[in-house]
Amino acid sequence: MTGRVLLTGGAGFIGSHSYVALVEAGFETIILDSFANAHRDVPERLARITGRPTPVIEADIRDSIAVQKAMDGGRFDAVVHFAALKSVPGSEADPVGYYDVNVGGLVNVVRAMQAHGISRMVFSSSAAVYGEAEVMPVTEDSPVRPQNVYARTKLVGEDFLAAVRRANPDFALGILRYFNPVGAHGSGLIGEDPGQPAGNLVPVIAQVAAGRREKLMIFGDDWPTPDGTAIRDYIHVEDLARGHVLSLERLLQPESERSHLVNLGTGRGHTVREVIDCYEKVSGQPIRAEIAPRRAGDAAISYADTGRAEQLLGFRATRDLASMCASNWAFMRAKA
Ligand SMILES: NC(=O)c1ccc[n+]([C@@H]2O[C@H](COP(=O)([O-])OP(=O)(O)OC[C@H]3O[C@@H](n4cnc5c(N)ncnc54)[C@H](O)[C@@H]3O)[C@@H](O)[C@H]2O)c1
């Protein structure tokens, strides 16, 4: 399938991997990014992977005029919208900044899409919207109970887009609720930036393995799980990237019901200890971990029901935890 796609936040972790997957699938793909949380050399690295120059528009989605200009003359068929701020503690400290980018920026993008007759969007949402789900696996119909400002901005974004769709039946919308993206591209050229203050488990483990951090904290070892540590559904970022291609392809179908809201996960959970053990094995480095009290708002277990993504998009994650840890470590070493 072909088409022209604008990828906001395309220089970031998930966006850059999705760029590669979209280009490989035949889409003409243009990145829009402010580089607020991306390295300047990502476009050049992407060019090495794809073998062609990376088209980039440097713009901030908070700047309505710049977003309009980016779409002028672009003849885009769709927007894949990654650009957002994503730190949970960051969002609690700066709700104005988070709503400004994650909600205000989204409104700017959709306003510009409407002005340019672009009627298809894939939106990065998060399993964080479910909060502490009580029943496993988490289905798309599980109650949403966001536990922090970041997760609420994602849910507000979803609500806003659903309202746009109700008002404009031609607006085709793919909402993707990611579980825990991990890993890096097989080339070792792109991955999750180890230089940023890490909040997620694997980047923290990676920093300990690389000797850039002394130890990691395990929040609770008294959860009702086989080894007492919390269970999460980790998904390889290259699998996740493929999910975006499938979502976009569905939105570009001529069928009437193209919109979808799906979980993207593996449907399998791993404990924190399993992830640490796996990373120790692939890196050959000892990883020092200390037990800390449980954090408020954390759940014991969370993993996705993947049935709807498989049924609607034909999506199934294929890469396992060892491949996630090994590719992350390869990227860390290449960056060092
Ligand atoms: N990584 C995760 O664990 C995770 C989980 C669920 C959902 N998500 C969502 O997926 C999307 C991508 O996440 P990621 O992990 O790749 O994050 P990331 O920070 O690596 O990528 C976000 C990109 O958006 C850009 N950006 C930020 N503010 C911008 C602005 N005002 N204007 C233009 N560009 C801006 C950044 O420079 C960066 O390149 C986000 O919407 C995030 O909320 C991430």
Side-chain angles (χ1 to χ4, degrees):
M1 197 169 275
T2 55
R4 268 173 72 81
V5 184
L6 185 68
L7 218 61
T8 73
F13 170 45
I14 304 166
S16 58
H17 291 80
S18 300
Y19 172 84
V20 174
L22 287 163
V23 169
E24 283 174 353
F27 289 100
E28 224 180 300
T29 311
I30 289 93
I31 290 174
L32 182 152
D33 205 296
S34 67
F35 292 86
N37 194 33
H39 273 288
R40 295 271 162 194
D41 66 356
V42 169
E44 195 267 316
R45 287 167 175 265
L46 290 172
R48 277 158 68 194
I49 296 171
T50 60
R52 63 187 79 171
T54 312
V56 179
I57 299 167
E58 185 168 342
D60 192 311
I61 56 167
R62 290 170 298 181
D63 180 346
S64 180
I65 292 166
V67 175
Q68 292 279 356
K69 254 175 80 183
M71 292 187 200
D72 284 348
R75 292 175 290 101
F76 291 107
D77 298 295
V79 172
V80 182
H81 184 63
F82 294 101
L85 301 177
K86 64 168 179 176
S87 154
V88 169
S91 72
E92 293 295 321
D94 180 20
V96 173
Y98 271 67
Y99 272 85
D100 199 15
V101 175
N102 294 9
V103 179
L106 173 65
V107 174
N108 284 340
V109 170
V110 173
R111 187 190 294 115
M113 288 172 68
Q114 289 191 332
H116 290 82
I118 306 166
S119 61
R120 302 173 187 96
M121 175 180 255
V122 178
F123 177 66
S124 294
S125 189
S126 171
V129 300
Y130 297 116
E132 292 173 67
E134 275 153 24
V135 180
M136 287 301 130
V138 180
T139 75
E140 292 81 354
D141 298 322
S142 296
V144 283
R145 298 195 193 99
Q147 300 286 313
N148 52 64
V149 171
Y150 165 70
R152 269 190 294 277
T153 64
K154 287 286 157 186
L155 194 56
V156 171
E158 288 191 10
D159 282 350
F160 162 67
L161 292 171
V164 171
R165 201 167 95 73
R166 278 195 301 279
N168 307 273
D170 286 344
F171 188 69
L173 174 64
I175 293 179
L176 308 181
R177 291 179 175 164
Y178 316 150
F179 277 65
N180 298 273
V182 171
H185 190 259
S187 63
L189 286 167
I190 53 169
E192 194 164 14
D193 182 1
Q196 302 294 329
N200 293 344
L201 177 64
V202 171
V204 175
I205 293 178
Q207 288 180 347
V208 177
R212 294 193 204 155
R213 186 191 275 249
E214 192 198 339
K215 61 184 177 198
L216 79 111
M217 308 307 286
I218 299 176
F219 299 103
D221 67 348
D222 53 356
W223 298 101
T225 63
D227 64 24
T229 64
I231 291 180
R232 293 290 176 274
D233 185 337
Y234 299 94
I235 176 166
H236 196 297
V237 65
E238 287 200 78
D239 279 331
L240 195 61
R242 199 168 40 82
H244 291 76
V245 174
L246 295 171
S247 171
L248 184 61
E249 286 179 344
R250 183 167 174 102
L251 297 184
L252 290 165
Q253 296 291 332
E255 306 158 28
S256 54
E257 189 41 72
R258 298 163 294 168
S259 293
H260 48 272
L261 182 162
V262 299
N263 288 336
L264 290 182
T266 63
R268 260 209 78 180
H270 291 284
T271 67
V272 174
R273 284 226 189 270
E274 278 173 345
V275 181
I276 296 172
D277 290 349
C278 179
Y279 210 97
E280 272 189 334
K281 233 177 253 156
V282 303
S283 67
Q285 303 297 316
I287 291 159
R288 213 179 128 208
E290 230 167 63
I291 306 300
R294 294 178 182 187
R295 288 181 301 194
D298 273 354
I301 303 177
S302 169
Y303 57 92
D305 183 295
T306 57
R308 198 192 281 183
E310 185 158 359
Q311 188 206 335
L312 293 183
L313 305 182
F315 175 79
R316 196 173 206 170
T318 58
R319 295 165 176 87
D320 63 8
L321 185 64
S323 148
M324 298 179 216
C325 294
S327 59
N328 179 282
W329 180 239
F331 174 68
M332 286 292 286
R333 269 182 318 177
K335 266 261 175 190

